[in-house]
Amino acid sequence: MMPLALSFDVAATAVVLLLAAGLFGGMFLFVRAVSDDSDKHLDLKELVETLFGTPAHLRPDKDTQATAGEPAAARKPPAPFEDECPACGERVTHEHPECPGCGLRLL
């Protein structure tokens, strides 16, 4: 017959393993529900996105996501602008990928 301490150790290990398996299964189901593309769990998805991801007001729109996969030639050109270079203060426009004065790469 097993000593009392050994049986207690076996029972405690079994309980811990069952709790760990339950937590792992719960997390798996939670991630699966949140990563689903359907709007079935939309409120849960928004909660997780707010807590761990980009806030709702900074997320790209669906039409922005649709254009993100298009080739660069099909996208709209950037809106015209004229501003000062942050490094040297020279005037740059939307046509300058780099500052003509100091060579700073502009986005």
Side-chain angles (χ1 to χ4, degrees), residues 2 5 14 40 45-46 48 62 69 79 91 95 97-98:
M2 288 195 297
K40 188 174 180 183
K45 187 181 244 183
E46 287 179 6
V48 170
K62 293 195 186 265
R91 300 301 283 177
E95 297 172 349
E98 295 178 353

Side-chain angles (χ1 to χ4, degrees), residues 23-43:
L23 285 173
F24 180 74
M27 288 188 312
F28 177 76
L29 292 175
F30 181 76
V31 168
R32 194 162 176 200
V34 170
S35 63
D36 188 11
D37 285 338
S38 69
D39 291 338
K40 188 174 180 183
H41 305 284
L42 188 61
D43 53 345

Side-chain angles (χ1 to χ4, degrees), residues 8-100:
F8 180 74
D9 288 345
V10 169
T13 302
V15 168
V16 168
L17 287 176
L18 284 174
L19 285 174
L23 285 173
F24 180 74
M27 288 188 312
F28 177 76
L29 292 175
F30 181 76
V31 168
R32 194 162 176 200
V34 170
S35 63
D36 188 11
D37 285 338
S38 69
D39 291 338
K40 188 174 180 183
H41 305 284
L42 188 61
D43 53 345
L44 188 62
K45 187 181 244 183
E46 287 179 6
L47 172 72
V48 170
E49 189 68 29
T50 302
L51 290 176
F52 300 111
T54 308
H57 65 281
L58 295 177
R59 288 185 218 144
D61 297 332
K62 293 195 186 265
D63 57 345
T64 307
Q65 290 176 348
T67 59
E70 295 178 2
R75 292 188 208 141
K76 295 179 185 176
F81 70 90
E82 184 175 334
D83 203 0
E84 291 183 357
C85 173
C88 66
E90 187 169 331
R91 300 301 283 177
V92 292
T93 66
H94 61 282
E95 297 172 349
H96 293 110
E98 295 178 353
C99 175

